[in-house]
């Protein structure tokens, strides 16, 4: 028996286990961690990566995703993460749609929280949205519609309707910057907070995934920090042409120039992704030291993906509970 070979294999397996950081998932609007799509998504990534995955629920899920302001959502998430001892050496965040607002809030605002290594964003409204996300029917949707009939940037609506915290009407920028309570702070639009920028640029990788058939986010390019110019709906600026990037309000330009921002796209509609796309675009970033692997050894990444594809047939995973 070749004991030397066995010893090397055991060391390799130990190394793989050691470098599997835990990850947390923040779900999207109208959803909850126990719903099938989110649960399946978390379980698959945990199984494939060998790392522990946790969906972080805030309040009761669907109701609070609509009506709890983001400052409170971030505070709740922050306290929950601080109590998770397994995250103390670092962890990764996966944000699903609106869940990216909570995830980024944790990165920028959670003082004393465990360090975040990678942010993997699926359909995140990072630069804002110019229309209200689909709700549907039901008591909370009726209430949301009623609130939207009021001034979107009023103190009352901002305090009682979560999406109002990242709605950015290009032709109403003055009221947006004065009245919107969350996104202007998150993006350092009004008061340049060096601490927020420092924590955001501490990320090892910022993975921005846009859905090609996305009709929920308006514009869909907000997933890549692209947006309308102030005062106009006439065109959509790529991230690199926005003031947020050129003036580097939160460090996006700094991260991009360091090769740490990955602008990726998948073929589906909002929050619909195949397992093969998950393996290609998400899984590699759940392994430590991935930045070196991705930038210097593309063949290694391809081999990694091809091996994983042997175990699971491609299927579509829906990460939202609502249908229309």
């Amino acid at each position: 028996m070749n004991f030397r070979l066995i010893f090397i294999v055991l060391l390799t397996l130990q190394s793989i286990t050691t470098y599997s950081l835990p990850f947390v998932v923040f779900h999207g609007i109208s959803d909850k961690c126990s719903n099938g799509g989110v649960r399946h998504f978390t379980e698959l990534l945990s199984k494939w990566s060998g790392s522990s995955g946790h969906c972080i629920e805030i309040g009761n899920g669907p109701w609070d995703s609509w009506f709890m302001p983001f400052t409170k959502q971030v505070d709740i998430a922050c306290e929950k993460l601080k109590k998770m001892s397994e995250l103390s050496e670092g962890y990764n965040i996966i944000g699903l749609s609106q869940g990216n607002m909570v995830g980024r809030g944790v990165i920028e605002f959670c003082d004393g929280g465990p360090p975040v290594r990678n942010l993997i964003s699926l359909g995140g409204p990072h630069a804002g949205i110019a229309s209200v996300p689909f709700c549907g029917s039901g008591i909370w949707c009726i209430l949301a519609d009623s609130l939207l009939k009021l001034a979107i940037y009023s103190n009352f609506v901002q305090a009682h309707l979560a999406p109002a915290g990242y709605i950015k009407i290009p032709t109403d920028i003055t009221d947006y910057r004065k009245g919107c309570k969350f996104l202007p702070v998150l993006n350092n639009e009004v008061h340049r907070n060096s601490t927020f920028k420092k924590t955001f640029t501490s990320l090892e990788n910022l993975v921005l995934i846009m859905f090609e058939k996305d009709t929920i986010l308006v514009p869909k390019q907000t997933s890549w920090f692209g947006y309308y110019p102030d005062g106009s709906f006439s065109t959509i600026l790529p991230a690199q042409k926005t003031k947020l990037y050129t003036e580097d309000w939160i460090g996006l330009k700094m991260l991009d120039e360091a090769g740490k921002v990955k602008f990726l796209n998948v073929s589906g509609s909002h929050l619909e992704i195949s397992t093969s796309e998950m393996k290609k675009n998400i899984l590699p970033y759940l392994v430590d030291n991935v930045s070196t692997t991705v930038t210097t050894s593309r063949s290694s990444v391809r081999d990694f993906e091809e091996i994983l594809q042997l175990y699971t047939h491609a299927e579509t995973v829906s990460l939202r509970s609502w249908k229309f």
Side-chain angles (χ1 to χ4, degrees):
M1 183 177 295
N2 192 331
F3 290 102
R4 182 181 179 185
L5 178 59
I6 293 174
F7 180 69
I8 292 173
V9 170
L10 289 174
L11 283 179
T12 302
L13 290 174
Q14 184 181 21
S15 175
I16 292 172
T17 302
T18 301
Y19 285 102
S20 293
L21 288 174
F23 67 89
V24 302
V25 176
F26 291 109
H27 65 70
I29 198 168
S30 294
D31 220 333
K32 57 184 177 181
C33 289
S34 60
N35 278 340
V38 177
R39 186 179 67 251
H40 186 43
F41 173 82
T42 306
E43 290 172 350
L44 282 177
L45 289 174
S46 182
K47 177 182 177 181
W48 293 337
S49 66
S51 47
S52 59
H54 312 269
C55 182
I56 306 299
E57 192 64 88
I58 298 170
N60 75 347
W63 178 272
D64 286 327
S65 74
W66 274 97
F67 300 113
M68 182 185 291
F70 280 111
T71 49
K72 186 173 181 180
Q73 290 193 43
V74 171
D75 286 344
I76 291 173
C78 178
E79 292 308 310
K80 285 191 173 186
L81 294 169
K82 285 180 179 179
K83 294 176 182 178
M84 297 174 66
S85 59
E86 62 268 39
L87 307 183
S88 61
E89 297 301 316
Y91 69 106
N92 300 312
I93 290 178
I94 302 176
L96 307 179
S97 192
Q98 178 178 280
N100 283 284
M101 297 292 95
V102 181
R104 284 187 53 205
V106 165
I107 293 168
E108 296 182 37
F109 309 149
C110 185
D111 293 335
V116 180
R117 302 290 185 85
N118 300 318
L119 171 61
I120 304 165
S121 164
L122 284 76
H126 297 290
I129 57 171
S131 70
V132 181
F134 176 83
C135 182
S137 58
I139 184 62
W140 57 80
C141 293
I142 294 172
L143 180 55
D145 290 339
S146 299
L147 287 173
L148 289 171
K149 293 177 181 178
L150 303 173
I152 195 70
Y153 299 127
S154 68
N155 288 334
F156 182 80
V157 174
Q158 289 289 311
H160 293 88
L161 187 66
Y166 58 90
I167 292 176
K168 183 177 182 179
I169 307 301
T171 53
D172 197 9
I173 291 298
T174 299
D175 286 344
Y176 160 75
R177 287 182 176 149
K178 286 182 179 179
C180 191
K181 303 301 183 185
F182 190 74
L183 190 65
V185 180
L186 188 71
N187 281 346
N188 256 345
E189 293 189 50
V190 180
H191 304 291
R192 307 290 192 264
N193 187 304
S194 59
T195 300
F196 299 165
K197 184 174 180 178
K198 181 179 179 180
T199 54
F200 190 69
T201 54
S202 69
L203 289 170
E204 295 177 9
N205 289 284
L206 173 62
V207 183
L208 302 174
I209 299 175
M210 178 174 69
F211 294 86
E212 284 296 331
K213 299 177 183 177
D214 198 332
T215 58
I216 302 300
L217 298 185
V218 178
K220 67 181 181 182
Q221 289 85 352
T222 188
S223 300
W224 285 359
F225 281 90
Y227 209 66
Y228 302 104
D230 292 352
S232 174
F233 282 93
S234 63
T235 188
I236 300 170
L237 300 175
Q240 292 80 3
K241 298 294 184 180
T242 64
K243 288 184 179 180
L244 180 146
Y245 187 97
T246 58
E247 298 178 6
D248 213 13
W249 296 345
I250 57 170
L252 180 63
K253 181 180 179 181
M254 186 183 301
L255 285 171
D256 192 22
E257 291 180 343
K260 296 181 178 182
V261 183
K262 320 299 178 185
F263 296 97
L264 308 176
N265 56 342
V266 295
S267 59
S269 56
H270 189 66
L271 292 190
E272 288 189 345
I273 187 169
S274 69
T275 53
S276 59
E277 289 170 327
M278 288 167 59
K279 292 172 183 175
K280 178 181 179 181
N281 298 306
I282 302 174
L283 187 57
Y285 299 96
L286 299 182
V287 180
D288 208 12
N289 296 325
V290 71
S291 180
T292 302
T293 303
V294 171
T295 58
T296 65
S297 182
R298 303 298 294 184
S299 61
S300 296
V301 176
R302 283 195 294 270
D303 291 342
F304 182 55
E305 291 166 1
E306 288 166 3
I307 291 171
L308 286 175
Q309 288 170 357
L310 297 174
Y311 297 105
T312 308
H313 293 294
E315 60 178 292
T316 296
V317 178
S318 179
L319 305 176
R320 65 191 190 205
S321 60
W322 39 267
K323 302 289 184 184
F324 65 99

